Amino acid sequence: MPNQYEPVIGLEVHAEMQTRSKMFCSCAVVDNTVAEPNIAVCPVCAGMPGTLPVVNQRAVEYALRVALALGCEVNYTSIFARKNYFYPDLPKGYQISQYETPLAVNGQLTIKTSQGEKIIRVRRVHLEEDTGKLTHIDNGSLVDLNRAGVPLLEIVSEPDMRSVEEAKAYAEALREILRYLEVNSGDMEKGVIRFESNVSVRAAGTEEFNTRVEIKNLNSFRALERASAFEIERQSKVLAAGGTIEQETLGWNDVSEKTYSQRSKEDAHDYRYFPEPDLPLLVIEKDWVEQIRASLPELPRAKFQRFVKEYGLTEYAAGVLVAERAVADYFEAALKAKKVSAKSVANWIVGDLFAVANQAGETAANSQVQPEALAELVELVDGGVINQTTGKDVLIEMYQTGKPAGEIVEAKGLKQVSDVDFISKIVGETLAENPKEAASYKAGKTAVVNFLFGQAMKKAAGKANPTVVKAELERQLGL
Ligand code: ADP
Ligand code: MG
Ligand code: ZN
């Protein structure tokens, strides 16, 4: 059965625009996971009668950054509309959103999958306001309006994804872009990005789309993946048994890992959209759009391609560096600081620096070790002043003490020894002390050379140049 049905997935992503103030009032946008409830609320976002909304220009700018980064066409005139429905977290009884004329349309996002790159079309990008938050307790529910009126960007894809992997890649790529654009922290656990997955399946090889379901409020990549996979499986079974899929809105239970019905098509909301009478048309000047376009940072995909091409990095290393803009910047700052090999610097960051920073509960980019300091270490290792193993120890010490690599090497006498006479003596002693191994090497057990190499390095307190040691070992063993 698995290959008989093909999934069709379209995603709606809600991302908070993390401006200083809210969408239509001057209340602060606060971190909901730490702020006291209802500390950032005023009559406007509490929906008091007689108050008037005012558009936050910065929120529009953030939204335009995203729209332009996704290659959308901007609607120079867009319309805010009221989306009417009742829910206790929505004090006005309607959400100000965009409906018929959204801020921007027809964009695209290129994703990377195991099958290569794929373009996912973006249907629309529009601005709206977030709702408040309900906490359900034993004898009622608590309402926190800190989040009510926070600028929210909705990004709607075309149903272009054909697997859970693609849906996840799209969601991740979008999160990466939002972070690059500095409009959203990407802190999924704080709920600043939420997904809705629209899922249908169709017989493999057919063109027509089937009825879809919409799974609401997925707050993590894991939930997005699991919920979508669950639906694909469920719908495939229904179709295989000759049944039909009902169009409905589903919720996702993270504990039981099952979707559940929230409402069917019959009781779908009629939102009675109409233009918001308290706001003028949103008219955007072309000059402003072009200014914003010109100020966009280099985006992850372009950076990735440049890192591979310009620096000859592996796709793996480039991918890891580019995933965080700060790490990519760190990498390039190290290269600027000294004339060192880009590949070496990349390897040190992706390998040891990540490991050391991770252990200290920090991120590589704002670690104790500055890019210049790492570059110095790389210079010492690549220049043969210290060997790779010593370099790793030095990095740990740099991390702990903040001292530069050169100083640590000097103070501890860690300079690597390449002197052939010295190494020749060490190797000679090693062979004399391990006659059995030396003999078995000569008898053809060549793997034992690794043991002898290790012993010789140990004897030299790790400071011997490994290349010279290897050569000398081979020479004395009569190769
Ligand atoms: P609405 O939620 O307002 O009814 P649309 O019908 O335009 O909006 O689609 C919402 C989302 O559902 C979009 O992301 C779209 O790509 C996706 N979608 C539409 N039809 C299907 C389908 N048959 N299967 C999977 N996803 C779909
Ligand atoms: Mg929808
Ligand atoms: Zn307010």
Side-chain angles (χ1 to χ4, degrees), residues 251-273:
W252 171 247
N253 185 325
D254 244 335
V255 180
S256 68
E257 302 216 313
K258 284 186 167 68
T259 56
Y260 59 90
S261 184
Q262 285 185 332
R263 67 181 115 87
S264 66
K265 194 182 179 183
E266 282 72 55
D267 42 48
H269 283 136
D270 173 4
Y271 292 117
R272 293 160 24 249
Y273 282 101

PDB file of all heavy atoms in Angstrom, residues 251-273:
ATOM      1  N   GLY A 251      -7.505  18.775  15.046  1.00  0.00           N
ATOM      2  CA  GLY A 251      -6.484  19.160  16.017  1.00  0.00           C
ATOM      3  C   GLY A 251      -5.504  18.013  16.118  1.00  0.00           C
ATOM      4  O   GLY A 251      -5.727  16.934  15.566  1.00  0.00           O
ATOM      5  N   TRP A 252      -4.403  18.248  16.809  1.00  0.00           N
ATOM      6  CA  TRP A 252      -3.378  17.207  16.962  1.00  0.00           C
ATOM      7  C   TRP A 252      -3.103  17.000  18.438  1.00  0.00           C
ATOM      8  O   TRP A 252      -2.832  17.960  19.168  1.00  0.00           O
ATOM      9  CB  TRP A 252      -2.097  17.621  16.241  1.00  0.00           C
ATOM     10  CG  TRP A 252      -0.906  16.732  16.495  1.00  0.00           C
ATOM     11  CD1 TRP A 252       0.236  17.066  17.163  1.00  0.00           C
ATOM     12  CD2 TRP A 252      -0.734  15.367  16.073  1.00  0.00           C
ATOM     13  NE1 TRP A 252       1.110  16.005  17.176  1.00  0.00           N
ATOM     14  CE2 TRP A 252       0.544  14.953  16.516  1.00  0.00           C
ATOM     15  CE3 TRP A 252      -1.539  14.463  15.365  1.00  0.00           C
ATOM     16  CZ2 TRP A 252       1.046  13.673  16.277  1.00  0.00           C
ATOM     17  CZ3 TRP A 252      -1.041  13.187  15.139  1.00  0.00           C
ATOM     18  CH2 TRP A 252       0.230  12.803  15.585  1.00  0.00           C
ATOM     19  N   ASN A 253      -3.226  15.768  18.874  1.00  0.00           N
ATOM     20  CA  ASN A 253      -2.921  15.450  20.260  1.00  0.00           C
ATOM     21  C   ASN A 253      -1.490  14.925  20.343  1.00  0.00           C
ATOM     22  O   ASN A 253      -1.188  13.845  19.860  1.00  0.00           O
ATOM     23  CB  ASN A 253      -3.911  14.402  20.776  1.00  0.00           C
ATOM     24  CG  ASN A 253      -3.715  14.126  22.256  1.00  0.00           C
ATOM     25  OD1 ASN A 253      -2.593  14.151  22.759  1.00  0.00           O
ATOM     26  ND2 ASN A 253      -4.816  13.875  22.952  1.00  0.00           N
ATOM     27  N   ASP A 254      -0.636  15.746  20.955  1.00  0.00           N
ATOM     28  CA  ASP A 254       0.793  15.443  21.020  1.00  0.00           C
ATOM     29  C   ASP A 254       1.083  14.200  21.865  1.00  0.00           C
ATOM     30  O   ASP A 254       2.120  13.570  21.694  1.00  0.00           O
ATOM     31  CB  ASP A 254       1.536  16.636  21.630  1.00  0.00           C
ATOM     32  CG  ASP A 254       2.490  17.265  20.637  1.00  0.00           C
ATOM     33  OD1 ASP A 254       2.926  16.573  19.706  1.00  0.00           O
ATOM     34  OD2 ASP A 254       2.806  18.459  20.802  1.00  0.00           O
ATOM     35  N   VAL A 255       0.184  13.895  22.768  1.00  0.00           N
ATOM     36  CA  VAL A 255       0.422  12.772  23.674  1.00  0.00           C
ATOM     37  C   VAL A 255       0.004  11.452  23.030  1.00  0.00           C
ATOM     38  O   VAL A 255       0.785  10.504  22.936  1.00  0.00           O
ATOM     39  CB  VAL A 255      -0.305  12.986  25.016  1.00  0.00           C
ATOM     40  CG1 VAL A 255      -0.045  11.811  25.951  1.00  0.00           C
ATOM     41  CG2 VAL A 255       0.155  14.304  25.655  1.00  0.00           C
ATOM     42  N   SER A 256      -1.233  11.415  22.526  1.00  0.00           N
ATOM     43  CA  SER A 256      -1.696  10.163  21.906  1.00  0.00           C
ATOM     44  C   SER A 256      -1.188  10.042  20.471  1.00  0.00           C
ATOM     45  O   SER A 256      -1.313   8.990  19.856  1.00  0.00           O
ATOM     46  CB  SER A 256      -3.224  10.104  21.915  1.00  0.00           C
ATOM     47  OG  SER A 256      -3.750  11.088  21.047  1.00  0.00           O
ATOM     48  N   GLU A 257      -0.615  11.159  19.942  1.00  0.00           N
ATOM     49  CA  GLU A 257      -0.121  11.180  18.561  1.00  0.00           C
ATOM     50  C   GLU A 257      -1.208  10.810  17.550  1.00  0.00           C
ATOM     51  O   GLU A 257      -1.006   9.971  16.674  1.00  0.00           O
ATOM     52  CB  GLU A 257       1.115  10.291  18.408  1.00  0.00           C
ATOM     53  CG  GLU A 257       2.234  10.711  19.347  1.00  0.00           C
ATOM     54  CD  GLU A 257       3.616  10.562  18.738  1.00  0.00           C
ATOM     55  OE1 GLU A 257       3.859   9.500  18.161  1.00  0.00           O
ATOM     56  OE2 GLU A 257       4.406  11.522  18.821  1.00  0.00           O
ATOM     57  N   LYS A 258      -2.370  11.436  17.743  1.00  0.00           N
ATOM     58  CA  LYS A 258      -3.486  11.214  16.825  1.00  0.00           C
ATOM     59  C   LYS A 258      -4.130  12.554  16.492  1.00  0.00           C
ATOM     60  O   LYS A 258      -4.113  13.476  17.313  1.00  0.00           O
ATOM     61  CB  LYS A 258      -4.546  10.343  17.511  1.00  0.00           C
ATOM     62  CG  LYS A 258      -4.199   8.874  17.609  1.00  0.00           C
ATOM     63  CD  LYS A 258      -5.418   8.134  18.183  1.00  0.00           C
ATOM     64  CE  LYS A 258      -5.309   6.644  18.037  1.00  0.00           C
ATOM     65  NZ  LYS A 258      -4.254   6.025  18.859  1.00  0.00           N
ATOM     66  N   THR A 259      -4.701  12.639  15.311  1.00  0.00           N
ATOM     67  CA  THR A 259      -5.501  13.826  15.008  1.00  0.00           C
ATOM     68  C   THR A 259      -6.912  13.586  15.535  1.00  0.00           C
ATOM     69  O   THR A 259      -7.340  12.445  15.718  1.00  0.00           O
ATOM     70  CB  THR A 259      -5.576  14.081  13.481  1.00  0.00           C
ATOM     71  OG1 THR A 259      -6.094  12.913  12.842  1.00  0.00           O
ATOM     72  CG2 THR A 259      -4.208  14.404  12.906  1.00  0.00           C
ATOM     73  N   TYR A 260      -7.615  14.686  15.816  1.00  0.00           N
ATOM     74  CA  TYR A 260      -9.012  14.553  16.236  1.00  0.00           C
ATOM     75  C   TYR A 260      -9.812  15.666  15.566  1.00  0.00           C
ATOM     76  O   TYR A 260      -9.275  16.730  15.246  1.00  0.00           O
ATOM     77  CB  TYR A 260      -9.143  14.630  17.762  1.00  0.00           C
ATOM     78  CG  TYR A 260      -8.625  15.918  18.356  1.00  0.00           C
ATOM     79  CD1 TYR A 260      -9.463  17.021  18.531  1.00  0.00           C
ATOM     80  CD2 TYR A 260      -7.287  16.050  18.711  1.00  0.00           C
ATOM     81  CE1 TYR A 260      -8.984  18.209  19.051  1.00  0.00           C
ATOM     82  CE2 TYR A 260      -6.797  17.235  19.226  1.00  0.00           C
ATOM     83  CZ  TYR A 260      -7.652  18.317  19.399  1.00  0.00           C
ATOM     84  OH  TYR A 260      -7.162  19.492  19.885  1.00  0.00           O
ATOM     85  N   SER A 261     -11.095  15.391  15.349  1.00  0.00           N
ATOM     86  CA  SER A 261     -11.909  16.335  14.598  1.00  0.00           C
ATOM     87  C   SER A 261     -12.283  17.542  15.449  1.00  0.00           C
ATOM     88  O   SER A 261     -12.699  17.410  16.594  1.00  0.00           O
ATOM     89  CB  SER A 261     -13.177  15.637  14.108  1.00  0.00           C
ATOM     90  OG  SER A 261     -13.910  16.544  13.315  1.00  0.00           O
ATOM     91  N   GLN A 262     -12.094  18.747  14.884  1.00  0.00           N
ATOM     92  CA  GLN A 262     -12.547  19.958  15.582  1.00  0.00           C
ATOM     93  C   GLN A 262     -13.851  20.451  14.986  1.00  0.00           C
ATOM     94  O   GLN A 262     -14.747  20.851  15.701  1.00  0.00           O
ATOM     95  CB  GLN A 262     -11.486  21.060  15.493  1.00  0.00           C
ATOM     96  CG  GLN A 262     -10.303  20.791  16.420  1.00  0.00           C
ATOM     97  CD  GLN A 262      -9.312  21.940  16.430  1.00  0.00           C
ATOM     98  OE1 GLN A 262      -9.176  22.665  15.464  1.00  0.00           O
ATOM     99  NE2 GLN A 262      -8.609  22.101  17.539  1.00  0.00           N
ATOM    100  N   ARG A 263     -13.898  20.485  13.685  1.00  0.00           N
ATOM    101  CA  ARG A 263     -15.188  20.798  13.071  1.00  0.00           C
ATOM    102  C   ARG A 263     -15.226  20.284  11.635  1.00  0.00           C
ATOM    103  O   ARG A 263     -14.195  20.180  10.968  1.00  0.00           O
ATOM    104  CB  ARG A 263     -15.510  22.301  13.132  1.00  0.00           C
ATOM    105  CG  ARG A 263     -14.639  23.191  12.307  1.00  0.00           C
ATOM    106  CD  ARG A 263     -15.074  24.641  12.485  1.00  0.00           C
ATOM    107  NE  ARG A 263     -14.061  25.458  13.118  1.00  0.00           N
ATOM    108  CZ  ARG A 263     -13.081  26.081  12.451  1.00  0.00           C
ATOM    109  NH1 ARG A 263     -13.005  25.986  11.149  1.00  0.00           N
ATOM    110  NH2 ARG A 263     -12.201  26.829  13.082  1.00  0.00           N
ATOM    111  N   SER A 264     -16.460  19.957  11.208  1.00  0.00           N
ATOM    112  CA  SER A 264     -16.608  19.411   9.863  1.00  0.00           C
ATOM    113  C   SER A 264     -16.966  20.542   8.903  1.00  0.00           C
ATOM    114  O   SER A 264     -17.137  21.688   9.319  1.00  0.00           O
ATOM    115  CB  SER A 264     -17.718  18.370   9.857  1.00  0.00           C
ATOM    116  OG  SER A 264     -18.944  19.023  10.115  1.00  0.00           O
ATOM    117  N   LYS A 265     -17.071  20.208   7.638  1.00  0.00           N
ATOM    118  CA  LYS A 265     -17.382  21.214   6.630  1.00  0.00           C
ATOM    119  C   LYS A 265     -18.732  21.880   6.911  1.00  0.00           C
ATOM    120  O   LYS A 265     -18.892  23.079   6.734  1.00  0.00           O
ATOM    121  CB  LYS A 265     -17.399  20.543   5.256  1.00  0.00           C
ATOM    122  CG  LYS A 265     -17.366  21.512   4.107  1.00  0.00           C
ATOM    123  CD  LYS A 265     -17.432  20.752   2.793  1.00  0.00           C
ATOM    124  CE  LYS A 265     -17.426  21.688   1.607  1.00  0.00           C
ATOM    125  NZ  LYS A 265     -17.569  20.916   0.357  1.00  0.00           N
ATOM    126  N   GLU A 266     -19.675  21.062   7.411  1.00  0.00           N
ATOM    127  CA  GLU A 266     -21.039  21.578   7.638  1.00  0.00           C
ATOM    128  C   GLU A 266     -21.035  22.737   8.631  1.00  0.00           C
ATOM    129  O   GLU A 266     -21.700  23.734   8.451  1.00  0.00           O
ATOM    130  CB  GLU A 266     -21.984  20.488   8.174  1.00  0.00           C
ATOM    131  CG  GLU A 266     -22.487  19.546   7.113  1.00  0.00           C
ATOM    132  CD  GLU A 266     -21.403  18.608   6.627  1.00  0.00           C
ATOM    133  OE1 GLU A 266     -20.806  17.924   7.485  1.00  0.00           O
ATOM    134  OE2 GLU A 266     -21.113  18.591   5.413  1.00  0.00           O
ATOM    135  N   ASP A 267     -20.228  22.572   9.702  1.00  0.00           N
ATOM    136  CA  ASP A 267     -20.229  23.709  10.634  1.00  0.00           C
ATOM    137  C   ASP A 267     -18.991  24.596  10.466  1.00  0.00           C
ATOM    138  O   ASP A 267     -18.480  25.167  11.405  1.00  0.00           O
ATOM    139  CB  ASP A 267     -20.423  23.261  12.091  1.00  0.00           C
ATOM    140  CG  ASP A 267     -19.623  22.029  12.450  1.00  0.00           C
ATOM    141  OD1 ASP A 267     -18.417  21.989  12.132  1.00  0.00           O
ATOM    142  OD2 ASP A 267     -20.199  21.112  13.036  1.00  0.00           O
ATOM    143  N   ALA A 268     -18.519  24.692   9.221  1.00  0.00           N
ATOM    144  CA  ALA A 268     -17.421  25.615   8.935  1.00  0.00           C
ATOM    145  C   ALA A 268     -17.890  27.033   9.226  1.00  0.00           C
ATOM    146  O   ALA A 268     -19.058  27.355   9.061  1.00  0.00           O
ATOM    147  CB  ALA A 268     -17.015  25.503   7.467  1.00  0.00           C
ATOM    148  N   HIS A 269     -16.946  27.848   9.697  1.00  0.00           N
ATOM    149  CA  HIS A 269     -17.307  29.234  10.022  1.00  0.00           C
ATOM    150  C   HIS A 269     -17.634  30.045   8.784  1.00  0.00           C
ATOM    151  O   HIS A 269     -17.006  29.908   7.751  1.00  0.00           O
ATOM    152  CB  HIS A 269     -16.134  29.915  10.728  1.00  0.00           C
ATOM    153  CG  HIS A 269     -16.000  29.504  12.152  1.00  0.00           C
ATOM    154  ND1 HIS A 269     -14.793  29.190  12.711  1.00  0.00           N
ATOM    155  CD2 HIS A 269     -16.912  29.350  13.125  1.00  0.00           C
ATOM    156  CE1 HIS A 269     -14.964  28.867  13.975  1.00  0.00           C
ATOM    157  NE2 HIS A 269     -16.246  28.947  14.254  1.00  0.00           N
ATOM    158  N   ASP A 270     -18.616  30.903   8.936  1.00  0.00           N
ATOM    159  CA  ASP A 270     -18.781  31.962   7.951  1.00  0.00           C
ATOM    160  C   ASP A 270     -18.239  33.205   8.637  1.00  0.00           C
ATOM    161  O   ASP A 270     -18.859  33.739   9.550  1.00  0.00           O
ATOM    162  CB  ASP A 270     -20.264  32.138   7.605  1.00  0.00           C
ATOM    163  CG  ASP A 270     -20.475  33.355   6.717  1.00  0.00           C
ATOM    164  OD1 ASP A 270     -19.459  33.975   6.331  1.00  0.00           O
ATOM    165  OD2 ASP A 270     -21.634  33.689   6.437  1.00  0.00           O
ATOM    166  N   TYR A 271     -17.069  33.629   8.199  1.00  0.00           N
ATOM    167  CA  TYR A 271     -16.399  34.719   8.916  1.00  0.00           C
ATOM    168  C   TYR A 271     -16.959  36.102   8.596  1.00  0.00           C
ATOM    169  O   TYR A 271     -16.542  37.079   9.183  1.00  0.00           O
ATOM    170  CB  TYR A 271     -14.901  34.684   8.611  1.00  0.00           C
ATOM    171  CG  TYR A 271     -14.199  33.471   9.187  1.00  0.00           C
ATOM    172  CD1 TYR A 271     -13.593  32.526   8.358  1.00  0.00           C
ATOM    173  CD2 TYR A 271     -14.132  33.283  10.561  1.00  0.00           C
ATOM    174  CE1 TYR A 271     -12.938  31.428   8.880  1.00  0.00           C
ATOM    175  CE2 TYR A 271     -13.474  32.182  11.091  1.00  0.00           C
ATOM    176  CZ  TYR A 271     -12.877  31.254  10.251  1.00  0.00           C
ATOM    177  OH  TYR A 271     -12.228  30.172  10.774  1.00  0.00           O
ATOM    178  N   ARG A 272     -17.857  36.160   7.640  1.00  0.00           N
ATOM    179  CA  ARG A 272     -18.458  37.458   7.281  1.00  0.00           C
ATOM    180  C   ARG A 272     -17.390  38.542   7.133  1.00  0.00           C
ATOM    181  O   ARG A 272     -17.443  39.584   7.763  1.00  0.00           O
ATOM    182  CB  ARG A 272     -19.513  37.864   8.324  1.00  0.00           C
ATOM    183  CG  ARG A 272     -20.702  36.941   8.302  1.00  0.00           C
ATOM    184  CD  ARG A 272     -21.578  36.918   9.559  1.00  0.00           C
ATOM    185  NE  ARG A 272     -21.557  38.094  10.403  1.00  0.00           N
ATOM    186  CZ  ARG A 272     -21.025  38.120  11.628  1.00  0.00           C
ATOM    187  NH1 ARG A 272     -20.459  37.043  12.132  1.00  0.00           N
ATOM    188  NH2 ARG A 272     -21.068  39.210  12.340  1.00  0.00           N
ATOM    189  N   TYR A 273     -16.413  38.238   6.294  1.00  0.00           N
ATOM    190  CA  TYR A 273     -15.346  39.219   6.046  1.00  0.00           C
ATOM    191  C   TYR A 273     -15.910  40.510   5.488  1.00  0.00           C
ATOM    192  O   TYR A 273     -16.790  40.493   4.624  1.00  0.00           O
ATOM    193  CB  TYR A 273     -14.381  38.674   4.988  1.00  0.00           C
ATOM    194  CG  TYR A 273     -13.387  37.644   5.472  1.00  0.00           C
ATOM    195  CD1 TYR A 273     -13.590  36.287   5.243  1.00  0.00           C
ATOM    196  CD2 TYR A 273     -12.218  38.046   6.115  1.00  0.00           C
ATOM    197  CE1 TYR A 273     -12.658  35.342   5.650  1.00  0.00           C
ATOM    198  CE2 TYR A 273     -11.282  37.106   6.521  1.00  0.00           C
ATOM    199  CZ  TYR A 273     -11.504  35.758   6.289  1.00  0.00           C
ATOM    200  OH  TYR A 273     -10.590  34.840   6.681  1.00  0.00           O
TER     201      TYR A 273
END
